[in-house]
Amino acid sequence: MRFTISSTALSSRLSILSRVINSKNSIAILDCFLFEVGNGQLEITASDSENVMKTALPIEEVEGGGSFAVNNRTILDAVKELPEQPLTLDVDTGQMTVRIIYQNGLYNFTCQNAEEYPRTQQLGDEAATFTMPAKAMLDNISRSLFAVANEQLRLVMNGIYMDLATDSLNIVATDGRKLVRNKYFALKSEKPQSFILQKKPATLLKNVLTKDDEEVIIRFDDRNAEITFGQTQLACRLIDGRYPNYGSVIPEDNPYELSIDRKTLIGALRRVLPFASESSQQVRLRISAGKIEVSSEDIDFATSAREEVNCSYEGAPMSIGFMGTSLVEILSNLESDEVQMQFADPSRPCLIIPSEQPEGEEVLMLLMPMLLND
């Protein structure tokens, strides 16, 4: 088998696929990329047994066809330093050898039998399907990942919940203290459907999706999902179980509302956080007409910090505590120049909403307060 392919195209696709492969695998063959040649193209697959990503590349001067597996580090190291040029791969599946011929030299190494590589089970015709623009998928996943939990007991919270409802697609993540809910109104379904996407495939999508990809096709059943974009497909195992009723924790009436410049508040929080208790990371917001006082203290080390920030607020004065790192995360994952913070009292959840919503979407973030030691 012999074929020619662009060095930069091969290197970039291998770099993307390598993110799927674990540093330690229970099956040795999963340290490899699977190469399959046929119909004038090269299909490359990477897997960790639960997540499988494959991509197709055009090839030239093809002689023969077949499949083989190559250690991911060997092939990555071989091509990543090469400048753009045609590479000729000469593969002998009988002797299990690979020769890569490039402009000023060649590489020789061994390959493995492709029959040992585990195959994924295809979704049936009964699988549900929906399509959305790649930009919308990328934006919503990127906004939500930071709120995914890392729970040993409540595994359903260790992923992003894709809830296709009658009015919108709701993309939700929560760790019990902070919550993100994205509503994408262009997608809706008369029959509500949902699945929980694990954190690893969601992170893979964040890293490999581009806003240039036209659309993403998502097919899923009770156990698995297939996500296709461009020439790439990601197949993944879903989290089994019922996601918490996220709607029940979102307050419908928080009467006190302030508006503030998002970056200004982030800056103030980052300046006072080093003086907060290392264990709690608590910051206090003293809110009054026209200003917020952001403060922190660590009684054990006798350190404290305080800073005033201008805002728009006309409600009753209030003091409320938050985990400062979580508040910075929420604000950093919004894009609007100004945000609105809605309160009821110091013991109830605070809603944080961008003043300018993305077109056709509604973004809402929630943060639970911390008890202040007054």
Side-chain angles (χ1 to χ4, degrees):
M1 177 188 352
R2 186 182 177 96
F3 59 91
T4 301
I5 190 169
S6 160
S7 61
T8 53
L10 178 60
S11 179
S12 63
R13 295 296 179 91
L14 291 177
S15 179
I16 289 170
L17 292 176
S18 67
R19 300 172 189 267
V20 180
I21 300 174
N22 291 330
S23 56
K24 293 183 179 179
N25 289 292
S26 56
I27 306 173
I29 195 71
L30 293 179
D31 290 331
C32 298
F33 293 117
L34 174 65
F35 284 65
E36 297 175 284
V37 177
N39 300 319
Q41 69 175 16
L42 169 65
E43 189 173 86
I44 311 172
T45 303
S47 172
D48 65 359
S49 76
E50 287 197 348
N51 305 287
V52 181
M53 186 179 286
K54 59 179 62 179
T55 189
L57 286 165
I59 52 178
E60 301 173 359
E61 302 175 16
V62 186
E63 297 177 14
S67 56
F68 59 97
V70 178
N71 181 273
N72 76 95
R73 293 275 21 122
T74 300
I75 187 78
L76 273 171
D77 291 342
V79 302
K80 70 180 180 181
E81 297 297 337
L82 292 174
E84 167 55 26
Q85 59 185 285
L87 301 180
T88 299
L89 278 75
D90 196 345
V91 184
D92 185 338
T93 52
Q95 298 295 321
M96 289 296 168
T97 59
V98 178
R99 172 183 288 188
I100 298 181
I101 304 166
Y102 60 97
Q103 189 172 0
N104 298 312
L106 61 85
Y107 300 121
N108 282 303
F109 49 89
T110 59
C111 60
Q112 297 185 43
N113 192 333
E115 293 182 2
E116 299 176 12
Y117 205 88
R119 304 290 172 164
T120 56
Q121 187 174 359
Q122 299 296 313
L123 293 180
D125 295 335
E126 71 282 357
T129 303
F130 65 87
T131 302
M132 67 186 298
K135 181 183 184 303
M137 185 75 162
L138 176 60
D139 288 346
N140 282 284
I141 287 178
S142 299
R143 269 196 299 266
S144 306
L145 265 172
F146 80 94
V148 172
N150 186 21
E151 288 272 353
Q152 296 298 319
L153 299 177
R154 295 180 293 176
L155 296 179
V156 293
M157 297 175 70
N158 294 348
I160 293 180
Y161 186 46
M162 312 287 281
D163 182 18
L164 188 57
T166 55
D167 62 339
S168 62
L169 171 65
N170 299 323
I171 300 173
V172 181
T174 182
D175 62 3
R177 179 167 291 279
K178 54 185 179 287
L179 177 144
V180 180
R181 187 198 66 190
N182 306 278
K183 281 181 172 285
Y184 181 68
F185 294 108
L187 275 177
K188 57 190 73 174
S189 174
E190 293 182 3
K191 177 185 177 183
Q193 299 169 315
S194 61
F195 64 91
I196 307 172
L197 185 66
Q198 294 193 60
K199 187 173 185 178
K200 180 172 180 177
T203 304
L204 287 169
L205 288 171
K206 177 186 175 182
N207 290 331
V208 304
L209 271 177
T210 70
K211 296 180 181 181
D212 296 331
D213 292 322
E214 293 186 3
E215 58 182 27
V216 179
I217 302 169
I218 300 102
R219 300 181 67 237
F220 63 97
D221 58 18
D222 293 339
R223 300 188 61 185
N224 300 287
E226 287 179 358
I227 303 166
T228 305
F229 48 98
Q231 297 297 311
T232 303
Q233 182 186 84
L234 173 63
C236 55
R237 187 87 49 84
L238 300 174
I239 297 176
D240 186 28
R242 177 172 292 186
Y243 202 77
N245 181 8
Y246 60 89
S248 65
V249 301
I250 300 174
E252 295 183 1
D253 182 24
N254 274 9
Y256 304 120
E257 180 177 296
L258 69 82
S259 295
I260 190 167
D261 183 83
R262 181 177 65 88
K263 291 182 180 179
T264 300
L265 182 54
I266 290 174
L269 289 165
R270 285 178 172 162
R271 285 187 287 273
V272 304
L273 259 174
F275 299 89
S277 167
E278 189 173 340
S279 59
S280 69
Q281 294 290 297
Q282 185 184 81
V283 296
R284 177 196 295 262
L285 303 184
R286 287 188 175 91
I287 307 166
S288 58
K291 68 178 182 179
I292 297 180
E293 181 185 282
V294 184
S295 63
S296 65
E297 66 176 342
D298 187 339
I299 297 174
D300 294 335
F301 292 93
T303 62
S304 64
R306 177 172 57 85
E307 183 172 330
E308 285 190 359
V309 180
N310 291 329
C311 70
S312 174
Y313 180 73
E314 296 180 354
M318 182 187 304
S319 287
I320 188 168
F322 293 110
M323 180 179 286
T325 49
S326 295
L327 184 53
V328 168
E329 280 184 316
I330 285 178
L331 294 169
S332 299
N333 281 278
L334 293 170
E335 295 180 355
S336 175
D337 291 337
E338 196 171 79
V339 294
Q340 297 172 352
M341 301 178 69
Q342 299 176 358
F343 308 90
D345 61 58
S347 64
R348 294 179 61 190
C350 167
L351 297 182
I352 303 170
I353 301 166
S355 295
E356 295 182 11
Q357 294 281 4
E359 185 177 354
E361 300 181 37
E362 180 185 286
V363 179
L364 175 149
M365 301 199 182
L366 176 150
L367 184 59
M368 297 297 295
M370 298 178 72
L371 183 65
L372 290 169
N373 296 319
D374 289 325

